[in-house]
Amino acid sequence: MSFLINSAARSFQRVCNVKLLAAVRLYSTAGQSGVSIQAGPRTALADEALKIRVSGLSPLQEVTVRAVVISDDDSMFDSSAQYRADRQGELDLTREPSPGGAFTGVEAMGLLWSLLPVPMEVPWRRLFKKDVLKGPQFVDLLVHRDLSERGRIPGPVLAKTRVERWFAGQGVTRTQLSEGRVRGSLFLPAGAGPFPGVIDMYGDEGGLTEYRASLLASRGFAALALPYLGREHLPESLSDLDFGYFEQAASFLLHHPKVRSLGLGAVGTGKGAELALAMVTFLPQVVAAVSISGCHANTGGELRYRDRVLPGLGYKASLARMLDSGVLDLSETLADPCDPRHRASLIPIEEAEGHFLFVVGEDDRKWKSEVYAAAAVQKLSEGGRHNYRVLSYPGAGHRIDPPSSPFAQAVLDQTLGVPVMEGGQPSAHAHAQAHAWGQIQEFLHSNLGGSCV
């Protein structure tokens, strides 16, 4: 019965979202004559910068500029910021500061990275594209009369426009793998190739996440989005993980006719970062690893590769803290990998012949990734290795994604059923994402061959 009630409520909510968005669009017919909003490029990849300008306003007129997105599952996300036009009645978001709203100051992309579920939606959710080839992500941009706060009914719509944010460039193809043991989605750029190959992995929440791999393919990489938990024919828990699966994935990608044979890169976030470090350490096919907010030890279940066994670093649930906000803080729960008692869990990265890029947020509240990266670098240095670089970002949190990816300080954990703290300050995190994305591509190209697209 509860399932039926929840389903009915969800259907009603979706209808409300559609009606609300339709009402917002119709409301624009009552707008102020001559006001227009220009956003460009109107069609672009999701990692490209967007320029937004408003013209035709009265001198020094106060307005609220708003972004609205309907997700793949019909949920509504929005963001808004307050502005004042200049003496010519114009507004350029790349130059004018916002005094209030979802952010303050000059934030040209702020309306995108500050997108959150509207109050009628389930909170603590992050907006991301689930099916990257199912059309673009449409972003409606609206100019409302007067200043309004998020969650309040905004003033009349003076102007509106729509832009398309694509997660796969023209000619990018996707092949969903279902042969043998390897699962996932292989994205290939347009053209004959061969292209530098990259394996892309996310955290232990399970399932398949494609949007970073599809954007990497749009920038000239053959990118394999590789799930390893919670998907068809894959384990349900870390204790059942078989490192041979990752070896087979690397072998498959390296032998693909459109992939360069010079070696692969591995990119990972969270547990995926840890697996990327293990791959560049143990697998000769992998010559470069990007660790985003990862640990330099094996966590969770045991990792076995040939005659090597790395025990899984454990968690202490008693150290979890429920904050006053109702958000769960897990930052102290992972056992200290620097404790000599856990030496056997450390990934022997000093044995790797490949190169490392560590990307960390100094305000990561999910894992102590800054501490882990420093320990990893020390381990490499003590082993006489200088094959690494660290990008450390003040104010950035745990999940450092491609540019303009919506920021979420805490995210609902599907297993625990409560929001979990990830940390970070919105503006600092957004700027970290924009900078890191270019650096990651440069690192991969320099170690896999080729040039940035």
Side-chain angles (χ1 to χ4, degrees), residues 270-309:
K271 177 66 180 181
E274 170 193 319
L275 290 167
L277 296 182
M279 292 175 76
V280 76
T281 299
F282 294 126
L283 305 181
Q285 304 98 317
V286 180
V287 299
V290 179
S291 168
I292 304 173
S293 305
C295 183
H296 62 303
N298 175 52
T299 65
E302 191 176 72
L303 186 151
R304 290 178 174 270
Y305 180 66
R306 296 184 180 177
D307 60 341
R308 307 291 288 266
V309 180

Side-chain angles (χ1 to χ4, degrees), residues 27-109:
Y27 200 14
S28 65
T29 59
Q32 180 177 321
S33 177
V35 178
S36 64
I37 178 170
Q38 303 88 37
R42 294 180 66 87
T43 300
L45 285 172
D47 61 357
E48 292 184 42
L50 182 66
K51 294 183 178 180
I52 303 172
R53 295 180 65 252
V54 182
S55 58
L57 298 169
S58 302
L60 306 181
Q61 182 175 351
E62 292 181 329
V63 295
T64 299
V65 183
R66 184 165 171 247
V68 180
V69 173
I70 301 296
S71 68
D72 291 347
D73 63 356
D74 295 326
S75 299
M76 180 181 285
F77 292 73
D78 80 339
S79 63
S80 62
Q82 302 167 353
Y83 289 97
R84 175 179 290 177
D86 63 19
R87 295 188 180 278
Q88 286 71 48
E90 297 187 349
L91 176 61
D92 185 343
L93 270 61
T94 64
R95 295 183 299 159
E96 298 297 328
S98 169
F103 52 86
T104 59
V106 179
E107 297 288 355
M109 302 297 290

Side-chain angles (χ1 to χ4, degrees), residues 92-439:
D92 185 343
L93 270 61
T94 64
R95 295 183 299 159
E96 298 297 328
S98 169
F103 52 86
T104 59
V106 179
E107 297 288 355
M109 302 297 290
L111 289 172
L112 296 186
W113 56 249
S114 63
L115 285 161
L116 290 172
V118 300
M120 70 178 73
E121 295 287 1
V122 177
W124 309 114
R125 296 177 61 207
R126 178 188 283 111
L127 174 65
F128 68 95
K129 188 71 171 169
K130 293 182 179 179
D131 188 343
V132 296
L133 294 189
K134 191 178 179 181
Q137 186 178 81
F138 293 107
V139 182
D140 287 293
L141 298 166
L142 307 102
V143 182
H144 295 268
R145 182 180 295 159
D146 301 325
L147 305 182
S148 60
E149 299 289 341
R150 188 174 189 273
R152 303 281 184 90
I153 298 176
V157 177
L158 305 178
K160 65 182 178 70
T161 191
R162 168 178 276 196
V163 296
E164 298 178 3
R165 309 288 287 175
W166 290 83
F167 286 82
Q170 187 173 9
V172 170
T173 61
R174 175 181 63 189
T175 302
Q176 295 180 320
L177 306 182
S178 59
E179 297 181 7
R181 292 179 62 193
V182 180
R183 294 295 181 267
S185 297
L186 175 61
F187 293 91
L188 295 174
F195 308 103
V198 176
I199 294 175
D200 183 46
M201 299 166 289
Y202 272 87
D204 57 9
E205 61 271 13
L208 175 64
T209 303
E210 295 182 326
Y211 59 87
R212 186 165 60 197
S214 64
L215 286 172
L216 284 170
S218 303
R219 299 303 178 190
F221 297 93
L224 172 59
L226 185 68
Y228 52 90
L229 287 176
R231 196 166 172 83
E232 182 185 12
H233 302 303
L234 293 179
E236 291 296 329
S237 69
L238 293 176
S239 60
D240 298 322
L241 214 57
D242 178 5
F243 195 71
Y245 171 77
F246 300 93
E247 184 176 31
Q248 289 188 22
S251 178
F252 162 80
L253 186 59
L254 191 63
H255 289 93
H256 193 282
K258 287 195 173 184
V259 174
R260 286 184 184 147
S261 59
L262 301 178
L264 304 174
V267 179
T269 297
K271 177 66 180 181
E274 170 193 319
L275 290 167
L277 296 182
M279 292 175 76
V280 76
T281 299
F282 294 126
L283 305 181
Q285 304 98 317
V286 180
V287 299
V290 179
S291 168
I292 304 173
S293 305
C295 183
H296 62 303
N298 175 52
T299 65
E302 191 176 72
L303 186 151
R304 290 178 174 270
Y305 180 66
R306 296 184 180 177
D307 60 341
R308 307 291 288 266
V309 180
L310 274 60
L313 201 62
Y315 292 84
K316 293 184 178 180
S318 61
L319 296 179
R321 294 188 305 126
M322 184 62 73
L323 305 178
D324 293 340
S325 60
V327 173
L328 191 62
D329 185 345
L330 300 176
S331 58
E332 299 292 334
T333 58
L334 182 64
D336 183 5
C338 300
D339 188 323
R341 293 175 298 175
H342 303 309
R343 189 182 305 275
S345 296
L346 296 177
I347 301 169
I349 54 177
E350 70 278 5
E351 299 176 9
E353 297 295 333
H355 290 77
F356 299 88
L357 177 63
F358 298 93
V359 182
V360 298
E362 295 177 16
D363 194 31
D364 186 348
R365 295 278 299 279
K366 189 170 184 180
W367 275 10
K368 298 179 180 180
S369 56
E370 181 187 11
V371 174
Y372 303 155
V377 164
Q378 181 178 352
K379 198 167 186 283
L380 289 168
S381 298
E382 290 174 351
R385 301 288 188 175
H386 303 285
N387 52 346
Y388 61 84
R389 185 184 175 198
V390 179
L391 298 175
S392 186
Y393 295 102
H398 181 72
R399 187 150 168 164
I400 300 175
D401 264 343
S404 303
S405 295
F407 168 77
Q409 194 172 60
V411 177
L412 184 66
D413 186 286
Q414 298 298 325
T415 301
L416 299 175
V418 296
V420 172
M421 176 62 71
E422 293 197 346
Q425 301 304 314
S427 179
H429 189 91
H431 289 283
Q433 290 188 148
H435 181 265
W437 185 238
Q439 298 299 306

